[in-house]
Amino acid sequence: MTAGSTDEQLPLLADASERSDASPTSTINDDAIAHKDGPTRSIDDDILPETSTLGRTLNWNSSYILVISRIIGSGIFATPGTILQSVGSPGLSLLLWVLGAFITAAGLAIILEYGSMLPRSGGYKVYLEYTFRRPRFLASIIVAMNAVFLGFTASNCVIFSQYTLYAAGYTYATGAAEKCVAVGMLTVVTAIHAVTPKFGIKLQNFLGWVKIGVVVFMIFCGLYVVIFRPDTGMPVGDSQLSWDRLWHDSNWNWGVLCTALFKVFYSYSGLENITNVLNEVKDPIKTLRSVTRTALATACIMYFLINIAYILVVPLDEIKGSGELIAALFFQRIFGANFGGRILPMVVALSAFGNVLVVVFAMVSTAPQILNHANSVKARLKHEVARQGLLPFSDVLASTKPFNSPLGGLLINYIPSLLIIILPPSTKIYSFILEVEGYAGQITGLAVAVGLLWLRYREPDLQRPYKASMLAVSVKLMLSVALLVAPFVPPKDKYPGGLFYATYAIVGVST
């Protein structure tokens, strides 16, 4: 597409009279068509492969790093403790991590069919716009609203705050202190990307490698504990993985299990990352299938081993009371109070800082061409929402003045992130954020699953190089409905934190 700035602000959904004559049954060739060669803003053109102006530069290895680096975030450092606290027993906790991988695999099958049918960058946005064309603009507006109201970056700010205070010796820091540090970190990250965007890019790349190094280090620590069984202060002969203790105190309440599953899904999220840059992937259909499956298997194995290591090293009562600090307790018991209780938690905090840098950039960046691919997957999302006229004061918000940075997009990202940090009760900020994001994600997943079946009925002749099994689609549909209903099932005990037990579901629906 060679249209100028005026044309770039045209709606993404074209009128029926504006659509091209491209046939939905046209043969899909992985040799992509460049922007200038033909595809227009017509929805029907989404079935045509399209090459980025930078060309197809992502090979299999680059694509794998792109996906696995997005999956591995703060989740494995923070969620195991809160999950075990919710479900009560280590056996049920481990079962949810494995079950979560299988449910994620069912959702992945749907993504693979869509990605094979519509091999273009854009992910869910392209799939929903192509499938649900009426009412006009509905899909675009839903995507825009989700990006603005649920595209916050608060979760890793909270983790940074908690691990920084713990490393500084404030084991029982007040809620106000945690919120102040989290807000300060969010402000610093926003200022870096606003004033010195190039420095922000270099810093997030460096901290991205720190994050990967921490995860690899934890895996080796887990293997060390499993194989050599060092003295970590656990009573001799007291195995927390014995069959009698494995399922003791299990809480099988459906609402509690679903809430815990949302946290598991958060840790597995990111498989769809590659669909946002398919225009830049070599042999996109084949690469999409193999990379996502390999990344899911890798994450499942790593997460299971790390959870085993947590349970072998840290007493269950301490895990349940650790909140999001399970990794800090793990390091402290293996390496002692100084190195394990100060240095390593600070490294985890730095990895969370890097994650926020990446996510903030991805949500608002206007210059993906100057970045490596791992950091430009969702580039321009919020800036594009403003640029296409879907927000008030679009001209102002879409401006890149005065620092050649997306100040409007940064502001759109900053405000909801700030509110989600300061408004919920201090003890439940992180869990509340993950639950809201997870609930909204299930709504999107349900829409995509229903859309896939509708598209099979409406366009049965559309080429599908990969077709998801009905079992996978059915599992995704049924579980999505169950997970959306579950938060409204009253728990046996009062919901901790003083909130109504379905608060996160109501917030997720309203946004």
Side-chain angles (χ1 to χ4, degrees), residues 214-230 232 301-313 330-331 334-335:
V214 171
V215 173
V216 172
F217 181 68
M218 289 188 69
I219 293 172
F220 279 110
C221 288
L223 292 175
Y224 171 74
V225 171
V226 170
I227 295 172
F228 297 102
R229 297 295 183 92
T232 59
I301 294 171
M302 288 195 307
Y303 289 172
F304 191 81
L305 287 176
I306 292 176
N307 273 279
I308 292 288
Y310 284 153
I311 296 170
L312 288 174
V313 173
F330 174 80
F331 285 135
I334 294 179
F335 299 103

Side-chain angles (χ1 to χ4, degrees), residues 208-473:
W209 284 110
V210 171
K211 177 183 68 174
I212 295 174
V214 171
V215 173
V216 172
F217 181 68
M218 289 188 69
I219 293 172
F220 279 110
C221 288
L223 292 175
Y224 171 74
V225 171
V226 170
I227 295 172
F228 297 102
R229 297 295 183 92
D231 181 13
T232 59
M234 293 284 288
V236 178
D238 183 21
S239 175
Q240 298 184 142
L241 291 175
S242 63
W243 187 257
D244 292 337
R245 299 193 63 181
L246 199 60
W247 305 98
H248 182 64
D249 287 336
S250 296
N251 185 350
W252 294 93
N253 178 273
W254 181 238
V256 171
L257 293 180
C258 290
T259 301
L261 274 173
F262 286 143
K263 297 182 177 70
V264 173
F265 294 151
Y266 171 81
S267 298
Y268 282 119
S269 63
L271 287 169
E272 72 285 355
N273 223 28
I274 191 175
T275 64
N276 293 306
V277 291
L278 276 184
N279 289 358
E280 303 175 44
V281 176
K282 296 178 180 179
D283 196 2
I285 296 174
K286 181 180 179 181
T287 303
L288 171 66
R289 293 167 60 181
S290 61
V291 160
T292 52
R293 289 168 173 172
T294 305
L296 178 59
T298 304
C300 181
I301 294 171
M302 288 195 307
Y303 289 172
F304 191 81
L305 287 176
I306 292 176
N307 273 279
I308 292 288
Y310 284 153
I311 296 170
L312 288 174
V313 173
V314 185
L316 292 181
D317 290 339
E318 290 189 25
I319 295 177
K320 293 178 181 179
S322 66
E324 288 78 41
L325 293 171
I326 176 63
L329 297 181
F330 174 80
F331 285 135
Q332 185 170 339
R333 281 190 165 264
I334 294 179
F335 299 103
N338 291 324
F339 185 68
R342 296 290 183 267
I343 305 300
L344 291 178
M346 197 64 230
V347 174
V348 173
L350 286 175
S351 72
F353 186 88
N355 203 296
V356 175
L357 278 167
V358 171
V359 173
V360 169
F361 164 78
M363 288 294 182
V364 300
S365 174
T366 59
Q369 68 275 14
I370 61 175
L371 288 177
N372 62 45
H373 298 289
N375 292 332
S376 62
V377 173
K378 291 184 180 178
R380 305 176 59 158
L381 179 56
K382 292 187 177 181
H383 186 79
E384 286 293 316
V385 167
R387 193 172 63 86
Q388 291 167 7
L390 297 175
L391 293 176
F393 310 107
S394 295
D395 292 340
V396 176
L397 294 176
S399 173
T400 59
K401 298 178 180 179
F403 302 108
N404 195 29
S405 61
L407 288 176
L410 287 165
L411 181 63
I412 295 171
N413 179 80
Y414 182 85
I415 293 176
S417 298
L418 175 66
L419 293 177
I420 205 68
I421 289 174
I422 64 177
L423 292 181
S426 301
T427 57
K428 291 297 171 184
I429 294 178
Y430 186 76
S431 293
F432 182 76
I433 292 170
L434 301 196
E435 289 160 6
V436 171
E437 290 180 342
Y439 196 84
Q442 289 304 311
I443 297 175
T444 302
L446 179 62
V448 172
V450 171
L452 185 73
L453 295 179
W454 167 242
L455 203 56
R456 286 183 181 182
Y457 170 77
R458 191 184 73 193
E459 300 184 32
D461 296 328
L462 188 63
Q463 271 203 356
R464 293 173 172 85
Y466 175 86
K467 191 171 184 178
S469 69
M470 280 304 300
L471 175 62
V473 179

Side-chain angles (χ1 to χ4, degrees), residues 170 213 230 270 284 476:
Y170 298 98
K476 179 62 178 178

Side-chain angles (χ1 to χ4, degrees), residues 488-507:
F488 297 96
V489 176
K492 294 180 181 179
D493 302 320
K494 183 180 178 181
Y495 188 79
L499 293 173
F500 175 57
Y501 56 83
T503 301
Y504 72 88
I506 295 173
V507 173

Side-chain angles (χ1 to χ4, degrees), residues 154-191:
S155 57
N156 281 286
C157 294
V158 174
I159 294 302
F160 172 84
S161 172
Q162 293 182 346
Y163 275 85
T164 298
L165 291 171
Y166 186 91
Y170 298 98
T171 307
Y172 302 103
T174 63
E178 290 184 358
K179 290 185 177 184
C180 285
V181 174
V183 170
M185 186 260 210
L186 176 66
T187 304
V188 168
V189 168
T190 303

